[in-house]
Amino acid sequence: MTTRHDHADGVGGEPRCPPTGPLSLAAGVLPEFEPPGVVSAAAAAGFEMVGIWFDPDTWSRTRALEVRRRLDGSGVAALDMEPIFVTPDGDCGFELIDAATEVGARNVLTVSRGLEPARFADRFAELCDRAAQAGITVVVEPTVLYSVSTLAEAQQVVALAARPNGAILADNLHLDRAGGEPLTALRQLDPALLPYAQLCDAPAKPADTTRPGLFDDARDRRKLLGEGDLPVREFVASLPAGIPLSLEIRSQQLRERYPDATKRAARVRTSAARFLESSTTE
């Protein structure tokens, strides 16, 4: 009998990914486009789901209605809305959750900027309570760029908040850059804490390990699946089978090569589908 962590070896001893869930276009793939256009590009490229970026300065009721109209018209589901940057000076969390409710997003993403896990957990609990009214899950994303950087710290936040709709978002690049044994830690998590995951490829190490360099690595240097050196197959094999995979491929190279939103989205989806399919059949 196999478990979600068991996998067969593929060619060359590489792990073979289990069948994966729906693919989602992360908002960060198309950062220069407005949310309605991102939804349309995701639909045209064949994605089943899409991520919605929330800018508190430009979001409006009109925008929410247009996003929802395009989602409903295309059959694409809103996987998540981001980001809630929780800071000592406040955040846009309630506004974002209300917007997520309007468009029907299933998850909202939080990051701690300047709060240690215990203080962050207090606010995380409040956000979970607000989101619970609409059946939305609130995820904390560990990233070396901010205050909660590891899976263990994210798990601490969720445990302290103690809300049934609190969970963790695993991004394979962020987990890799945080060091340690992230895949071992991932396999030890309760599967219920992982409603979806973010996926990309990248160089084995960032070119610059300073803070500005790590930001550049995360925002501009990600690669299509199979074009980098990250253990992508091992990461996918460590996740609960069938959860949605958000393709978070932020890439300056892709932006320059594919200025058209639909063509860029299609390139991301096609390459990912090919890579993941080959991973299950090798």
mmCIF file of all heavy atoms in Angstrom, residues 152 215 224 230 238 243 276:
data_model
loop_
_atom_site.group_PDB
_atom_site.id
_atom_site.type_symbol
_atom_site.label_atom_id
_atom_site.label_comp_id
_atom_site.label_asym_id
_atom_site.label_seq_id
_atom_site.Cartn_x
_atom_site.Cartn_y
_atom_site.Cartn_z
ATOM 1 N N ALA A 152 8.651 25.316 9.641
ATOM 2 C CA ALA A 152 8.457 25.177 11.086
ATOM 3 C C ALA A 152 7.861 26.448 11.682
ATOM 4 O O ALA A 152 6.958 26.383 12.532
ATOM 5 C CB ALA A 152 9.780 24.843 11.760
ATOM 6 N N PHE A 215 15.682 39.013 -3.444
ATOM 7 C CA PHE A 215 14.458 39.556 -4.032
ATOM 8 C C PHE A 215 14.483 39.391 -5.545
ATOM 9 O O PHE A 215 13.490 39.022 -6.168
ATOM 10 C CB PHE A 215 14.290 41.028 -3.655
ATOM 11 C CG PHE A 215 13.533 41.250 -2.381
ATOM 12 C CD1 PHE A 215 14.202 41.544 -1.207
ATOM 13 C CD2 PHE A 215 12.153 41.160 -2.345
ATOM 14 C CE1 PHE A 215 13.511 41.738 -0.013
ATOM 15 C CE2 PHE A 215 11.451 41.359 -1.175
ATOM 16 C CZ PHE A 215 12.131 41.652 0.003
ATOM 17 N N LEU A 224 11.078 28.125 -16.150
ATOM 18 C CA LEU A 224 10.071 27.125 -16.480
ATOM 19 C C LEU A 224 10.473 25.773 -15.908
ATOM 20 O O LEU A 224 11.671 25.487 -15.736
ATOM 21 C CB LEU A 224 9.903 27.019 -17.995
ATOM 22 C CG LEU A 224 9.423 28.289 -18.713
ATOM 23 C CD1 LEU A 224 9.533 28.094 -20.225
ATOM 24 C CD2 LEU A 224 7.994 28.643 -18.323
ATOM 25 N N LEU A 230 16.283 23.002 -9.505
ATOM 26 C CA LEU A 230 15.595 22.673 -8.267
ATOM 27 C C LEU A 230 15.029 21.251 -8.324
ATOM 28 O O LEU A 230 14.717 20.750 -9.406
ATOM 29 C CB LEU A 230 14.448 23.656 -8.019
ATOM 30 C CG LEU A 230 14.812 25.119 -7.772
ATOM 31 C CD1 LEU A 230 13.562 25.927 -7.446
ATOM 32 C CD2 LEU A 230 15.833 25.269 -6.655
ATOM 33 N N SER A 238 6.269 15.163 -2.701
ATOM 34 C CA SER A 238 6.142 15.345 -1.256
ATOM 35 C C SER A 238 4.836 16.012 -0.859
ATOM 36 O O SER A 238 4.547 16.140 0.336
ATOM 37 C CB SER A 238 7.319 16.181 -0.734
ATOM 38 O OG SER A 238 8.547 15.557 -0.988
ATOM 39 N N ILE A 243 -3.545 18.176 -5.094
ATOM 40 C CA ILE A 243 -3.824 19.568 -4.744
ATOM 41 C C ILE A 243 -3.481 20.469 -5.934
ATOM 42 O O ILE A 243 -2.635 20.135 -6.769
ATOM 43 C CB ILE A 243 -3.048 20.029 -3.488
ATOM 44 C CG1 ILE A 243 -1.532 20.032 -3.734
ATOM 45 C CG2 ILE A 243 -3.410 19.188 -2.283
ATOM 46 C CD1 ILE A 243 -0.740 20.685 -2.606
ATOM 47 N N LEU A 276 5.307 17.819 -16.120
ATOM 48 C CA LEU A 276 4.616 17.018 -15.116
ATOM 49 C C LEU A 276 4.103 15.706 -15.706
ATOM 50 O O LEU A 276 4.138 14.668 -15.045
ATOM 51 C CB LEU A 276 3.461 17.817 -14.504
ATOM 52 C CG LEU A 276 3.891 19.023 -13.675
ATOM 53 C CD1 LEU A 276 2.681 19.910 -13.351
ATOM 54 C CD2 LEU A 276 4.582 18.595 -12.392
#
